[in-house]
Amino acid sequence: MTATHIGIVWNPSKAERVALEKALASALDATGESDFEGPEISWHEMLEDDPGQKATAAALEAGADLVLAVGGDGTVRAVAEQLTIADGSAELGIIPMGTGNLLARNLGVPLGDLTGAFTRALSGESRPLDLGWADLEIGGEPARYAFAVMAGFGIDAHMITETSDDLKDKAGWLAYLESLGRAVAASDLIGLTTSIDGDEPSAIEAHTLLVGNCGMLQGGITLLPDADPSDGALDLLVLSADGVAGWIDTMRNMVWDNGLKRLLRRKGPTENSLIAESSESAEHTRITSLRIELDTPRIFEVDGDDLEETTRIEISVQPAAIRVRA
């Protein structure tokens, strides 16, 4: 579909409009759009009290059939959420400007290249994108959030989020060993009850639970090797490492079982049968729905944004919720 109206939802803390206009003009030239009348362009700046939903609604009201999210994963999440709520035909384009940019990385959108990202959004293949939904109780009130990358809880998630981005890019999985000591010290097993895909509840202990629509982190690190943002399912990772021995088992599972060994097998005849391997302290599962009840309140996170503490979460997937240009 050729866009007739492009609505640009942009985070002014991430980029200046002048730079965006220049890159967009270059992309229009590269795609041949500027040789004709070209699509209508409208700009919708995110305000301090708007993560992106209001600006997206304004873009749709203006008639946008392609909405470009300019910012980090939080901005992309908010725009995707509003596009889904609107239940229209407008497509999503991603102009990554944050630090993580995990959805952009998983979809192969150019990073650090505004013109390249705009060009991909204008001319890239339109593909379906699943969205996960998290329904929570926060302060006794119901809340609902979409996520395009990952959602979950865990004190030791700092091992993932606080490790130096430069070190991740240079050293891959080895970078995470740098923060392993902090993770071991912060780990705190709690009791929780989970029900997967409507099955009977199961009581377990864990310190980290992540549900992912995408699997790759910065530096090309794959945390959820089976995750596919358009397969109609989500991937669940539960970590229950307790002390140094447990963390050694966790790292072995991630680095070897679901990393190097998987890469070697992919070159052989078993490529199509590869599935993520679990271990004593790291359990991988494919899901379409999940109910979680925590014995102890935990801060829940969606696509890098921390929400308030909660003890009840219901996760579901909306297959092909929107279409994304990538």
Side-chain angles (χ1 to χ4, degrees):
M1 179 185 78
T2 300
T4 60
H5 184 139
I6 300 172
I8 300 176
V9 174
W10 62 292
N11 186 337
S13 69
K14 301 293 185 181
E16 296 182 357
R17 178 166 170 171
V18 172
L20 296 175
E21 289 177 335
K22 182 179 179 180
L24 176 59
S26 297
L28 289 169
D29 285 340
T31 58
E33 296 279 0
S34 60
D35 295 338
F36 306 96
E37 184 176 345
E40 182 179 350
I41 308 293
S42 61
W43 295 80
H44 307 273
E45 180 178 343
M46 294 164 50
L47 302 178
E48 189 172 341
D49 64 343
D50 174 32
Q53 288 93 339
K54 293 179 182 178
T56 303
L60 295 175
E61 186 175 353
D65 51 9
L66 173 61
V67 179
L68 305 187
V70 183
D73 284 313
T75 299
V76 175
R77 186 200 72 78
V79 173
E81 180 179 274
Q82 188 61 40
L83 289 177
T84 305
I85 292 172
D87 195 27
S89 59
E91 297 181 344
L92 170 69
I94 302 172
I95 313 299
M97 296 295 296
T99 54
N101 299 312
L102 293 184
L103 183 58
R105 292 173 191 270
N106 279 272
L107 296 178
V109 176
L111 302 176
D113 178 2
L114 279 177
T115 299
F118 273 113
T119 301
R120 179 69 65 87
L122 295 177
S123 61
E125 179 184 355
S126 173
R127 65 175 75 173
L129 176 68
D130 302 335
L131 283 183
W133 286 93
D135 290 277
L136 310 88
E137 281 189 15
I138 297 179
E141 296 294 327
R144 182 171 169 83
Y145 297 87
F147 60 94
V149 183
M150 293 182 194
F153 68 86
I155 296 176
D156 52 276
H158 292 303
M159 187 184 74
I160 296 170
T161 59
E162 290 187 354
T163 303
S164 162
D165 287 339
D166 289 340
L167 193 57
K168 291 174 188 174
D169 290 336
K170 293 175 182 177
W173 265 118
L174 295 177
Y176 292 94
L177 296 177
E178 181 267 341
S179 56
L180 179 58
R182 290 200 305 274
V184 171
S187 296
D188 181 16
L189 289 171
I190 63 170
L192 59 147
T193 301
T194 62
S195 176
I196 296 174
D197 296 341
D199 289 345
E200 288 296 315
S202 175
I204 61 174
E205 284 192 330
H207 52 68
T208 296
L209 182 150
L210 294 172
V211 181
N213 191 38
C214 300
M216 187 170 66
L217 305 176
Q218 296 96 323
I221 306 307
T222 301
L223 183 67
L224 301 168
D226 290 333
D228 180 339
S230 60
D231 64 356
L234 299 171
D235 287 68
L236 170 65
L237 174 62
V238 178
L239 299 181
S240 56
D242 188 13
V244 175
W247 272 105
I248 291 175
D249 177 72
T250 299
M251 295 303 293
R252 178 192 58 77
N253 176 263
M254 293 179 176
V255 177
W256 174 247
D257 292 341
N258 295 302
L260 296 175
K261 186 167 70 172
R262 186 183 177 94
L263 181 63
L264 294 173
R265 285 182 176 177
R266 187 173 288 122
K267 299 177 181 180
T270 60
E271 176 179 358
N272 294 329
S273 62
L274 289 177
I275 58 174
E277 294 187 29
S278 297
S279 70
E280 290 185 4
S281 58
E283 181 179 354
H284 293 264
T285 312
R286 308 295 306 285
I287 68 169
T288 56
S289 67
L290 174 68
R291 172 175 286 191
I292 308 163
E293 293 193 13
L294 306 174
D295 292 351
T296 305
R298 284 289 183 266
I299 291 176
F300 199 76
E301 179 185 68
V302 290
D303 286 357
D305 291 335
D306 287 340
L307 309 179
E308 295 181 30
E309 288 188 337
T310 184
T311 59
R312 292 185 178 183
I313 310 108
E314 290 191 16
I315 302 292
S316 59
V317 61
Q318 183 176 352
I322 56 174
R323 298 192 69 84
V324 60
R325 297 278 191 97

